[in-house]
Amino acid sequence: MSNAQSPTIRSEGSRSKSVPPRESNNTLAYSRTQAPPTVRCAWCDHQFDRTDSYLTGRVRCAHCGVATTSPWPSDEQLSAAYADWYRPQSGRFSGLGDKVLRRTRSALAHRLHRVLPPGPVLDVGAGDGTLVEAFVRRGREAVGLEPYASGPHIRNAEVEEVDGTWSAVIFWHSLEHLRQPARALSHAAALLSPGGTLVVAVPNATSLQARAFGDRWLALDLPRHLVHFDPPALLSKIEALGLRVERVSYLRGGQVVFGWVHGLVGKLPGHPDLYDAIRRSEARQATYGPVLRLYALSAAVVALPFALAASAVEVASRAGGTIYVEARREPGPAGDSREVAGGQVSPGNDAG
Ligand SMILES: [Zn+2]
């Protein structure tokens, strides 16, 4: 699968380092980047033409339903988007935020640990390693891949560089960050031991909240999110890889209620960004004064009951803000005789 790289030829009058007008919403700010539109779907490789939908900062593929960020960001743009403020050492969120994050990762590890076959777990896009550590605490070997972090169980590598056999490969809100997500998913499926499980959680770009908040929807998150998933496209790809989808949830992927609260607060005059307001001061994109912060947080309290009701409706109608999938590799009749090529990351001896 080729990269969805847009051509590097600059059209007349465009500037490679254009400064967009000041806009607190990163998606809208990015969409004003002067560069040619993305030419290929990053999910199915379809070449875009007049049949596709050209939206703000993204193109929705008529062939597969997945949208690709457009213009396609350069490495420099992505580095800037992942600069230190995104994930500071001290944690991303103030107060309870980081604790809640740790608690939910721990619950996920606990459940998966009980249902997975023996063997190590690979967490692709491991962030600060919270999920990996939760597995390790339960006595299971786990490795996290993350270019923007370090730690005893974290490696700076792409999933395609990994070999060996794994009881689970997890993409927890990371698949949408990859330049070649379909290739990554195919490779991940091939790494699974018989009975091993692929776990994917991504934002649902066709959710009710995505439609309600449009270009200001929290989970568009341009340019960090490169693909914007449509659940049928994700599920059909997973099935095409020979895996059996065993669990689909429109709630378990998290961020559903927060997506609504964030969107409702963002509808207010001045479009306050709640996500920025709850981050620690060193992890904020914009500079938030105490008054603006109080405005956003008070609005969030008022919006919460409405957000809970809206979340219940969208989850019940299977159009929740995130989609979570667990899919298992059937124990094959011919056994597992895959050749293991030399790579940079391998599980330990207890694999399989
Ligand atoms: Zn496509």
Coordinates of all heavy atoms in Angstrom, one line a residue, residues 1-5 41-46 66 72 122 124 145 157-162 169 171 174-192 198 200 226-227 229 233-234 237-238 240-241 243:
M1 N 0.8 -1.2 0.0 CA 0.0 0.0 0.0 C 0.9 1.2 0.0 O 1.8 1.4 0.8 CB -0.9 0.0 1.2 CG -1.9 1.1 1.2 SD -3.4 0.6 2.1 CE -3.9 -0.7 1.1
S2 N 0.7 2.1 -1.0 CA 1.5 3.3 -1.0 C 1.0 4.4 -0.1 O -0.1 4.4 0.3 CB 1.5 3.8 -2.5 OG 0.3 4.5 -2.7
N3 N 1.9 5.2 0.2 CA 1.6 6.3 1.1 C 0.7 7.3 0.4 O 0.7 7.5 -0.7 CB 3.0 7.0 1.4 CG 2.9 7.8 2.7 OD1 1.8 8.2 3.1 ND2 4.0 7.9 3.4
A4 N -0.2 7.9 1.2 CA -1.1 8.9 0.7 C -0.5 10.3 0.6 O -1.1 11.3 0.9 CB -2.4 9.0 1.6
Q5 N 0.8 10.3 0.4 CA 1.6 11.5 0.3 C 1.1 12.4 -0.8 O 0.9 11.9 -1.9 CB 3.0 11.2 0.0 CG 4.0 12.3 0.3 CD 4.5 12.3 1.7 OE1 4.8 11.2 2.2 NE2 4.6 13.4 2.3
C41 N -6.6 8.0 -0.7 CA -7.2 7.6 0.5 C -6.1 6.8 1.3 O -5.5 5.8 0.8 CB -8.4 6.7 0.3 SG -9.0 5.9 1.8
A42 N -5.8 7.2 2.6 CA -4.8 6.6 3.4 C -5.3 5.2 3.9 O -4.4 4.4 4.4 CB -4.5 7.5 4.6
W43 N -6.5 4.9 3.7 CA -7.0 3.6 4.2 C -7.1 2.6 3.1 O -6.6 1.5 3.2 CB -8.4 3.8 4.8 CG -9.0 2.6 5.4 CD1 -10.2 1.9 5.1 CD2 -8.5 1.8 6.6 NE1 -10.4 0.8 5.9 CE2 -9.4 0.8 6.8 CE3 -7.3 2.0 7.4 CZ2 -9.1 -0.2 7.8 CZ3 -7.1 1.1 8.4 CH2 -8.0 0.0 8.6
C44 N -7.7 2.9 1.9 CA -7.9 1.9 0.8 C -7.0 2.2 -0.4 O -7.1 1.4 -1.4 CB -9.3 1.8 0.5 SG -10.0 3.1 -0.6
D45 N -6.3 3.3 -0.4 CA -5.4 3.7 -1.5 C -6.1 4.1 -2.8 O -5.5 4.3 -3.8 CB -4.5 2.5 -1.8 CG -3.1 2.9 -2.3 OD1 -2.7 4.0 -1.9 OD2 -2.5 2.2 -3.2
H46 N -7.4 4.3 -2.7 CA -8.2 4.8 -3.8 C -7.7 6.2 -4.2 O -7.4 7.0 -3.3 CB -9.7 4.8 -3.4 CG -10.5 5.8 -4.2 ND1 -10.9 5.6 -5.5 CD2 -11.0 7.0 -3.9 CE1 -11.7 6.6 -5.9 NE2 -11.8 7.5 -4.9
V66 N -13.9 6.1 4.5 CA -12.9 6.7 5.5 C -12.4 8.0 5.0 O -12.2 8.2 3.8 CB -11.8 5.7 5.7 CG1 -10.7 6.3 6.6 CG2 -12.3 4.4 6.4
W72 N -2.1 16.5 3.3 CA -1.3 15.5 4.0 C -0.1 16.2 4.7 O 0.7 16.9 4.1 CB -0.8 14.5 3.0 CG -0.2 13.2 3.7 CD1 1.1 12.8 3.6 CD2 -1.0 12.2 4.3 NE1 1.2 11.6 4.2 CE2 0.0 11.2 4.7 CE3 -2.3 12.1 4.7 CZ2 -0.4 10.1 5.4 CZ3 -2.7 10.9 5.4 CH2 -1.7 9.9 5.7
L122 N 1.4 -6.5 22.8 CA 2.0 -5.4 22.1 C 1.0 -4.2 22.1 O -0.1 -4.4 21.6 CB 2.4 -5.8 20.7 CG 3.1 -4.8 19.9 CD1 4.5 -4.5 20.4 CD2 3.2 -5.2 18.4
V124 N 0.5 -0.7 20.5 CA 1.0 0.2 19.5 C 0.5 1.6 19.7 O -0.7 1.8 19.8 CB 0.5 -0.3 18.1 CG1 1.1 0.6 17.0 CG2 0.9 -1.8 17.8
L145 N 4.9 0.5 21.9 CA 5.6 1.2 20.8 C 5.2 2.6 20.9 O 4.0 2.9 20.8 CB 5.3 0.6 19.4 CG 5.5 -0.9 19.2 CD1 5.1 -1.3 17.8 CD2 6.9 -1.3 19.5
A157 N 9.7 2.2 17.8 CA 9.7 1.4 16.6 C 8.3 1.4 16.0 O 7.3 1.7 16.7 CB 10.1 0.0 16.9
E158 N 8.2 1.1 14.7 CA 6.9 1.0 14.0 C 6.5 -0.5 14.2 O 7.3 -1.4 14.3 CB 7.1 1.2 12.5 CG 7.7 2.6 12.2 CD 6.8 3.8 12.5 OE1 5.5 3.6 12.4 OE2 7.3 4.8 12.8
V159 N 5.1 -0.7 14.1 CA 4.6 -2.0 14.3 C 5.2 -3.0 13.2 O 5.4 -4.2 13.4 CB 3.1 -2.1 14.3 CG1 2.5 -1.6 13.0 CG2 2.6 -3.4 14.7
E160 N 5.5 -2.4 12.0 CA 6.0 -3.2 10.9 C 7.4 -3.8 11.2 O 7.8 -4.7 10.5 CB 6.0 -2.4 9.6 CG 4.6 -2.1 9.0 CD 4.0 -0.8 9.5 OE1 4.5 -0.3 10.6 OE2 3.1 -0.3 8.9
E161 N 8.1 -3.2 12.2 CA 9.4 -3.7 12.6 C 9.3 -4.8 13.6 O 10.4 -5.3 14.0 CB 10.2 -2.5 13.1 CG 10.5 -1.4 12.1 CD 11.2 -0.2 12.8 OE1 10.4 0.7 13.4 OE2 12.4 -0.2 12.8
V162 N 8.1 -5.1 14.1 CA 8.0 -6.1 15.1 C 7.8 -7.5 14.5 O 7.1 -7.6 13.5 CB 6.7 -5.7 16.0 CG1 6.5 -6.8 17.0 CG2 6.9 -4.4 16.6
V169 N -2.5 -7.6 20.1 CA -1.9 -6.4 19.6 C -3.0 -5.3 19.7 O -4.1 -5.5 19.3 CB -1.5 -6.5 18.1 CG1 -0.8 -5.1 17.6 CG2 -0.5 -7.6 17.9
F171 N -4.3 -1.3 19.5 CA -4.2 0.0 18.9 C -5.2 0.9 19.7 O -6.4 1.0 19.3 CB -4.6 0.1 17.4 CG -3.6 -0.6 16.5 CD1 -3.7 -2.0 16.3 CD2 -2.6 0.1 15.9 CE1 -2.8 -2.6 15.4 CE2 -1.7 -0.5 15.0 CZ -1.8 -1.9 14.8
S174 N -4.6 4.9 18.4 CA -3.3 5.1 17.8 C -3.4 4.9 16.3 O -2.6 5.5 15.5 CB -2.3 4.2 18.4 OG -2.6 2.9 18.2
L175 N -4.3 4.0 15.8 CA -4.4 3.7 14.4 C -4.6 5.0 13.5 O -4.1 5.1 12.5 CB -5.5 2.7 14.2 CG -5.6 1.9 12.9 CD1 -4.3 1.1 12.7 CD2 -6.8 1.1 12.7
E176 N -5.4 5.9 14.1 CA -5.7 7.1 13.3 C -4.5 8.1 13.2 O -4.6 9.1 12.5 CB -7.0 7.8 14.0 CG -6.8 8.4 15.4 CD -7.0 7.4 16.5 OE1 -6.9 6.2 16.2 OE2 -7.4 7.8 17.6
H177 N -3.5 7.8 14.0 CA -2.3 8.6 14.0 C -1.2 8.1 12.9 O -0.2 8.8 12.7 CB -1.6 8.6 15.3 CG -2.4 9.3 16.4 ND1 -2.1 10.6 16.8 CD2 -3.5 9.0 17.1 CE1 -3.0 11.0 17.8 NE2 -3.8 10.0 18.0
L178 N -1.5 6.9 12.4 CA -0.4 6.3 11.5 C -0.6 6.7 10.1 O -1.7 6.9 9.6 CB -0.5 4.8 11.6 CG -0.3 4.2 13.1 CD1 -0.4 2.7 13.0 CD2 1.0 4.7 13.7
R179 N 0.6 6.9 9.4 CA 0.5 7.3 8.0 C 0.0 6.1 7.1 O -0.6 6.4 6.1 CB 1.9 7.7 7.5 CG 2.4 9.1 8.0 CD 3.6 9.5 7.2 NE 4.1 10.8 7.7 CZ 3.6 12.0 7.3 NH1 2.6 12.0 6.4 NH2 4.2 13.1 7.7
Q180 N 0.2 4.9 7.5 CA -0.2 3.8 6.7 C -1.0 2.8 7.6 O -0.5 1.7 7.9 CB 0.9 3.1 6.0 CG 1.7 4.0 5.1 CD 2.7 3.3 4.2 OE1 2.3 2.3 3.5 NE2 3.9 3.7 4.3
P181 N -2.2 3.2 8.0 CA -2.9 2.4 9.0 C -3.3 1.0 8.5 O -3.3 0.1 9.3 CB -4.2 3.3 9.3 CG -4.3 4.2 8.1 CD -2.9 4.4 7.6
A182 N -3.7 0.9 7.3 CA -4.1 -0.4 6.8 C -3.0 -1.4 6.8 O -3.1 -2.6 7.2 CB -4.7 -0.3 5.4
R183 N -1.8 -0.9 6.4 CA -0.6 -1.8 6.4 C -0.2 -2.2 7.8 O 0.1 -3.3 8.1 CB 0.6 -1.0 5.8 CG 1.7 -2.0 5.3 CD 2.8 -1.2 4.7 NE 3.7 -0.5 5.7 CZ 4.9 -0.1 5.5 NH1 5.5 -0.3 4.3 NH2 5.6 0.4 6.4
A184 N -0.4 -1.3 8.8 CA -0.1 -1.5 10.2 C -1.0 -2.6 10.7 O -0.6 -3.5 11.4 CB -0.2 -0.3 11.0
L185 N -2.3 -2.5 10.4 CA -3.3 -3.4 10.9 C -3.0 -4.8 10.3 O -3.2 -5.8 11.0 CB -4.7 -2.9 10.5 CG -5.8 -3.4 11.4 CD1 -5.7 -2.8 12.8 CD2 -7.2 -2.9 10.8
S186 N -2.7 -4.9 9.0 CA -2.4 -6.2 8.4 C -1.2 -6.9 9.1 O -1.3 -8.1 9.4 CB -2.0 -6.0 6.9 OG -3.1 -5.4 6.2
H187 N -0.2 -6.1 9.3 CA 1.0 -6.6 10.0 C 0.6 -7.1 11.4 O 1.1 -8.2 11.8 CB 2.1 -5.6 10.0 CG 3.4 -6.2 10.5 ND1 4.3 -6.9 9.7 CD2 4.0 -6.2 11.8 CE1 5.3 -7.3 10.4 NE2 5.1 -6.9 11.7
A188 N -0.2 -6.3 12.1 CA -0.6 -6.7 13.5 C -1.3 -8.0 13.5 O -1.1 -8.8 14.3 CB -1.4 -5.6 14.1
A189 N -2.2 -8.2 12.5 CA -3.0 -9.4 12.4 C -2.1 -10.6 12.3 O -2.3 -11.7 12.8 CB -4.0 -9.3 11.3
A190 N -1.0 -10.4 11.5 CA -0.1 -11.5 11.2 C 0.8 -11.9 12.4 O 1.4 -12.9 12.5 CB 0.8 -11.2 10.0
L191 N 0.8 -11.0 13.4 CA 1.6 -11.2 14.6 C 0.9 -12.0 15.7 O 1.5 -12.4 16.6 CB 2.0 -9.8 15.2 CG 3.0 -9.0 14.5 CD1 3.2 -7.6 15.2 CD2 4.4 -9.6 14.4
L192 N -0.4 -12.2 15.5 CA -1.2 -12.8 16.5 C -1.1 -14.3 16.6 O -1.0 -15.0 15.5 CB -2.7 -12.5 16.3 CG -3.2 -11.0 16.5 CD1 -4.6 -10.9 16.0 CD2 -3.0 -10.6 17.9
L198 N -6.9 -8.9 18.4 CA -6.6 -7.6 18.0 C -7.6 -6.7 18.6 O -8.8 -6.9 18.6 CB -6.8 -7.5 16.4 CG -6.6 -6.1 15.8 CD1 -5.1 -5.7 15.7 CD2 -7.2 -6.1 14.4
V200 N -8.8 -2.7 18.8 CA -8.7 -1.4 18.2 C -9.8 -0.4 18.8 O -11.0 -0.8 18.9 CB -9.0 -1.5 16.6 CG1 -8.9 -0.1 16.0 CG2 -8.0 -2.4 16.0
L226 N -4.8 11.3 11.1 CA -4.6 11.3 9.6 C -5.7 10.6 8.9 O -6.0 10.8 7.7 CB -3.3 10.6 9.3 CG -2.0 11.3 9.9 CD1 -0.8 10.4 9.8 CD2 -1.8 12.6 9.3
V227 N -6.4 9.7 9.6 CA -7.6 9.0 9.0 C -8.7 9.1 10.0 O -8.6 9.2 11.2 CB -7.3 7.5 8.7 CG1 -6.6 7.3 7.4 CG2 -6.6 6.9 9.9
F229 N -12.3 7.3 10.8 CA -12.9 6.1 10.5 C -14.4 6.0 10.4 O -15.1 6.7 11.2 CB -12.5 5.0 11.4 CG -11.1 4.5 11.2 CD1 -10.0 5.0 12.0 CD2 -10.8 3.7 10.2 CE1 -8.7 4.6 11.7 CE2 -9.5 3.3 9.9 CZ -8.4 3.8 10.7
A233 N -16.1 0.3 7.4 CA -14.8 0.2 6.7 C -13.7 -0.5 7.6 O -13.0 -1.4 7.2 CB -14.3 1.6 6.3
L234 N -13.7 -0.2 8.9 CA -12.8 -0.8 9.9 C -13.1 -2.2 10.1 O -12.2 -3.1 10.0 CB -12.9 0.0 11.2 CG -12.0 -0.6 12.3 CD1 -10.5 -0.4 12.0 CD2 -12.3 0.1 13.6
K237 N -12.3 -4.5 7.0 CA -10.9 -4.7 6.9 C -10.4 -5.8 7.9 O -9.6 -6.7 7.5 CB -10.2 -3.4 7.1 CG -8.7 -3.5 7.2 CD -8.1 -3.8 5.8 CE -6.5 -3.9 5.9 NZ -6.0 -4.3 4.7
I238 N -10.9 -5.7 9.1 CA -10.5 -6.6 10.1 C -10.9 -8.1 9.7 O -10.1 -9.0 9.8 CB -11.0 -6.2 11.5 CG1 -10.3 -5.0 12.0 CG2 -10.9 -7.4 12.5 CD1 -10.9 -4.3 13.3
A240 N -11.5 -9.1 6.7 CA -10.7 -9.5 5.5 C -9.3 -10.0 5.9 O -8.7 -10.7 5.1 CB -10.6 -8.3 4.5
L241 N -8.8 -9.6 7.1 CA -7.5 -10.1 7.5 C -7.7 -11.5 8.2 O -6.7 -12.0 8.7 CB -6.9 -9.1 8.5 CG -6.5 -7.8 8.0 CD1 -6.2 -6.8 9.1 CD2 -5.4 -7.9 7.0
L243 N -9.7 -12.4 10.7 CA -10.0 -12.4 12.1 C -11.5 -12.4 12.3 O -12.3 -11.9 11.5 CB -9.4 -11.1 12.8 CG -7.9 -10.9 12.6 CD1 -7.5 -9.6 13.3 CD2 -7.1 -12.0 13.1

